[in-house]
Amino acid sequence: KPAIITTAGQSADIEMVKTVFERAAIPFKADAQLKAAALAAAGAKTLVIVLGGSTKGMGAAGISTDAELARTSALLAEARKLGLTVIGLHVGGEARRGQLSDVFIQAAVPACHYVIVVADGDKDGFITKLCGTKVPIDKVERTSKTVEPIQKAFK
């Protein structure tokens, strides 16, 4: 603690994750467009990446897919350099999967220390395969069920 929450793909799922952290009583800051250069100043010990691409979200932010991927990669590299714990959350389920989201999931999951996923978002095992044997993964029924694994992760 504290955590800083951002997105990989600019999906609105960050709003659900902020609610989960409030319910879990975990202190956090959130910045959907967090830049690597601002990570150290955020004072966080954990970087939480909300996994899921949104063309609407990127359009509203004025960010291309390539620019968002570059931001995500730079952020993960900086987190590694600073020794932060990285937690990936995919809470959008099956509806937040697809070619665009998978690009961001593939870029971020291998850099995570822990991943939580709403189970129907990993029906095909894509996220589980990316985690392999190195990244612990917990699957939950629905977004509201992420509170418990989040609380355990921050104990």
Side-chain angles (χ1 to χ4, degrees), residues 10 12 19 24 36 51-52 64 67 69 73 83 87 98 106 108 139 142 146:
Q10 295 298 311
T19 300
L51 307 165
S64 70
L69 268 173
S73 295
I87 297 175
Q106 194 163 13
K139 295 181 186 182
R142 57 186 176 276
T146 59

Side-chain angles (χ1 to χ4, degrees), residues 23-123:
R23 287 186 183 154
I26 306 295
F28 71 92
K29 293 177 186 170
D31 181 349
Q33 297 178 39
L34 180 67
K35 303 269 193 277
L39 191 55
K45 292 188 168 72
T46 302
L47 173 65
V48 176
I49 300 253
V50 181
L51 307 165
S54 166
T55 51
K56 187 176 175 183
M58 285 189 292
I63 300 172
S64 70
T65 301
D66 289 343
E68 180 68 353
L69 268 173
R71 184 188 71 85
T72 299
S73 295
L75 200 52
L76 291 167
E78 186 67 10
R80 185 172 31 257
K81 189 173 113 185
L82 295 171
L84 300 184
T85 298
V86 179
I87 297 175
L89 273 100
H90 184 268
V91 297
E94 194 172 15
R96 187 62 71 197
R97 281 290 307 283
Q99 188 175 357
L100 181 63
S101 286
D102 288 357
V103 167
F104 294 106
I105 292 167
Q106 194 163 13
V109 166
C112 292
H113 294 98
Y114 176 48
V115 171
I116 302 168
V117 61
V118 171
D120 75 347
D122 192 36
K123 280 183 181 176

Side-chain angles (χ1 to χ4, degrees), residues 10-33:
Q10 295 298 311
S11 80
D13 294 346
I14 189 172
E15 296 303 321
M16 288 188 283
V17 172
K18 286 165 40 178
T19 300
V20 165
F21 271 72
E22 287 166 2
R23 287 186 183 154
I26 306 295
F28 71 92
K29 293 177 186 170
D31 181 349
Q33 297 178 39

